[in-house]
């Protein structure tokens, strides 16, 4: 996707610094001025930020699988597809309150106000440090993602059409 202000990468960098997270932050998306600003902020705060601009769609599953958490603090989205992609491969998800995120992440994800760095930092730390919480998020993530399979969506759509008759 795009690396633009609504994706909130700078607040994620700040949250990584606040939580004293000592793992790399990998951000994927097109090159932009905002990405450069986030990289500068990361250097100032001592956060290891790896910007990746030319990742193909087929690279996403192993990248998600290798992540300890998908932290997606976007301010708004239409659906939040990365949330589902991460859950499908067993990666815990921390995302934003508001917009479409609760519908997509359900009870499987943790949520934080994307404009409150301390809230992102708190839940990021929880996700990375609590093994039982991580395992619960992984298991619930698989169940949540199954609600978005083609078969499940088609079934719900047919039920909706039948209820209208």
């Amino acid at each position: 996707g795009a690396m633009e202000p609504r994706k909130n990468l700078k607040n994620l960098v700040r949250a990584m610094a606040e939580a004293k997270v000592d793992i790399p932050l990998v951000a994927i998306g097109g090159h932009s001025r905002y990405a450069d600003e986030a990289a500068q902020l990361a250097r100032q705060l001592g956060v290891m930020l790896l910007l990746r601009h030319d990742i193909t769609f087929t690279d996403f599953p192993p990248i998600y699988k290798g992540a300890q958490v998908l932290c997606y603090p976007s301010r708004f989205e239409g659906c939040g597809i990365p949330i589902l992609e991460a859950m499908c491969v067993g990666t815990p998800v921390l995302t934003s309150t508001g917009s479409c995120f609760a519908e997509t992440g359900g009870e499987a994800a943790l949520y934080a106000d994307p404009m409150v760095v301390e809230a992102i930092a708190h839940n990021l730390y929880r996700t990375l440090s609590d093994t039982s919480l991580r395992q619960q998020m992984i298991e619930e993530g698989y169940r949540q993602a199954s609600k978005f399979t083609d078969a499940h969506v088609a079934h719900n759509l047919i039920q909706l059409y039948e209820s209208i008759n």
Side-chain angles (χ1 to χ4, degrees):
M3 285 198 197
E4 56 191 33
R6 75 179 170 93
K7 297 293 187 172
N8 212 17
L9 181 57
K10 287 188 198 178
N11 273 359
L12 179 52
V13 167
R14 291 179 184 105
M16 295 269 298
E18 179 160 324
K20 296 179 179 33
V21 174
D22 194 26
I23 57 174
L25 169 58
V26 179
I28 299 171
H31 183 262
S32 67
R33 184 177 182 185
Y34 181 76
D36 292 340
E37 292 170 5
Q40 180 180 4
L41 178 63
R43 283 189 297 277
Q44 291 169 352
L45 297 177
V47 172
M48 187 184 332
L49 174 60
L50 305 174
L51 297 173
R52 298 296 178 251
H53 304 298
D54 295 321
I55 302 297
T56 65
F57 185 71
T58 57
D59 293 329
F60 280 25
I63 291 170
Y64 285 127
K65 186 73 175 165
Q68 292 185 40
V69 61
L70 170 72
C71 191
Y72 195 62
S74 181
R75 292 185 208 151
F76 64 90
E77 295 292 333
C79 178
I81 294 294
I83 295 168
L84 292 175
E85 291 172 335
M87 288 180 175
C88 283
V89 298
T91 301
V93 173
L94 166 58
T95 191
S96 300
T97 54
S99 190
C100 63
F101 305 109
E103 180 180 353
T104 307
E107 293 182 20
L110 286 182
Y111 300 90
D113 183 325
M115 302 313 296
V116 180
V117 171
E118 296 80 11
I120 300 168
H122 173 76
N123 279 338
L124 186 56
Y125 180 81
R126 281 182 62 207
T127 305
L128 293 171
S129 65
D130 186 335
T131 306
S132 63
L133 174 63
R134 284 178 52 74
Q135 189 58 42
Q136 177 184 350
M137 290 174 73
I138 290 167
E139 291 168 12
E140 289 181 15
Y142 284 130
R143 282 192 289 279
Q144 179 66 16
S146 74
K147 296 176 183 177
F148 292 86
T149 63
D150 291 345
H152 191 77
V153 171
H155 173 76
N156 288 344
L157 190 57
I158 289 168
Q159 282 189 322
L160 175 65
Y161 286 150
E162 288 174 349
S163 74
I164 296 172
N165 277 338

